[in-house]
Amino acid sequence: MGNPGDTAGSAATVTVGVEEEYLLVDPVTRELSPSADKVVAEAAGELKDRVTTEITRYQVEGRTDPHTDLAELAVQIRSTRGGIARAAARQGLRVISSGTPVLGHPVPPAFTSTPRYVKSIAQFRALDYEQSTCACHIHVGIPDLPTALRVSNHLRPWLPALVSLAANSPYWYGEDTGYASWRTLVWGRWPVSGPPPYFESQSHFEDLVEDLIATDTLLDRGGLYWDIRPSHHVPTVEVRVADAAATRGDVVVVGGGN
């Protein structure tokens, strides 16, 4: 339960799972609230491991199980969003699904104190200061790494269309940026982000990742922030290009498009 890639797809059946990141806001000021730990603890009673924290205490992540039917995926997205919204309301807060914060200017943000995030902040410093951004990550079940790399290679030309389809972050702390997806530009500052390379083979991928880790360009395999990546912990290709989606219908469109 709760992991969007627990079941890999096959030639006959493709699974799709979703990870969504949301922002917590005060219902009056609409500014961010650093209360993710309380909201996640509250929501976990209903959603179990389908809800978790993120790098900042302004963010909550919701997850679905892997699905083979988009209608069933939509039902679980609704239940996950509803569970998180109810938990936030009991804490006197509201949840918004936006790729970037709309109001306020909390830089540096209130960080979550998990060991991995503490290490990331120490290593990457100001790059983490702007990570109050939220995405919609789509996990497509793939049976093995060579297949995942072929999918990544073939999906690369479609990334601009997916960015345009899913754009939902025109504002940045009270300012209209003039861009439909400011989150895309914020993420572009990371050393391993944007479209992935074209991989000639599995060894090409493995050698590149090992070099990136050895040179401290990456914290670990979880720091591969390419728009498409083979998941490091479940048998999926993870498509990471989409902003947090305003509605569950938008999520299903992005998920079905992958």
Side-chain angles (χ1 to χ4, degrees):
M1 288 290 291
N3 197 319
D6 282 341
T7 303
S10 68
T13 304
V14 175
T15 60
V16 179
V18 174
E19 294 172 340
E20 289 195 276
E21 298 161 348
Y22 314 107
L23 293 168
L24 297 171
V25 298
D26 181 277
V28 177
T29 66
R30 298 298 196 268
E31 294 193 2
L32 300 182
S33 175
S35 305
D37 53 344
K38 297 177 182 178
V39 173
V40 168
E42 183 81 24
E46 177 181 348
L47 300 175
K48 310 302 180 188
D49 62 350
R50 283 170 40 213
V51 61
T52 189
T53 55
E54 251 294 338
I55 185 169
T56 78
R57 300 207 306 271
Y58 307 126
Q59 298 163 291
V60 175
E61 180 180 289
R63 304 166 175 170
T64 73
D65 298 311
H67 291 272
T68 59
D69 182 278
L70 292 180
E72 294 176 359
L73 176 65
V75 169
Q76 193 168 55
I77 292 169
R78 180 177 182 178
S79 70
T80 303
R81 286 182 166 216
I84 293 172
R86 287 188 290 273
R90 289 193 290 270
Q91 296 294 326
L93 301 171
R94 298 294 184 268
V95 179
I96 63 171
S97 189
S98 169
T100 49
V102 178
L103 296 177
H105 194 74
V107 176
F111 289 111
T112 305
S113 59
T114 59
R116 184 177 184 277
Y117 291 142
V118 169
K119 185 177 179 181
S120 175
I121 294 159
Q123 183 164 327
F124 296 111
R125 306 297 293 271
L127 282 178
D128 273 322
Y129 289 2
E130 296 182 337
Q131 291 316 299
S132 299
T133 60
C134 294
C136 176
H137 296 163
I138 308 297
H139 283 262
V140 181
I142 299 294
D144 52 54
L145 180 57
T147 305
L149 295 177
R150 288 196 296 272
V151 170
S152 174
N153 287 343
H154 286 289
L155 191 55
R156 290 169 75 251
W158 296 97
L159 289 172
L162 290 173
V163 171
S164 298
L165 176 68
N168 184 35
S169 56
Y171 300 105
W172 183 249
Y173 296 132
E175 298 292 333
D176 184 346
T177 66
Y179 293 84
S181 180
W182 186 248
R183 185 193 69 89
T184 298
L185 298 183
V186 170
W187 271 107
R189 297 173 184 174
W190 283 85
V192 185
S193 62
Y198 185 96
F199 296 109
E200 300 290 344
S201 63
Q202 181 174 343
S203 62
H204 177 198
F205 170 80
E206 296 287 3
D207 290 346
L208 175 59
V209 172
E210 291 304 317
D211 286 346
L212 291 169
I213 292 175
T215 57
D216 289 333
T217 308
L218 285 184
L219 191 66
D220 51 35
R221 287 184 176 239
L224 289 172
Y225 294 144
W226 289 317
D227 295 337
I228 319 162
R229 70 178 182 187
S231 174
H232 65 287
H233 64 288
V234 290
T236 68
V237 164
E238 183 181 359
V239 184
R240 303 168 48 85
V241 73
D243 288 344
T247 71
R248 65 169 176 150
D250 293 338
V251 179
V252 174
V253 168
V254 174
N258 289 286

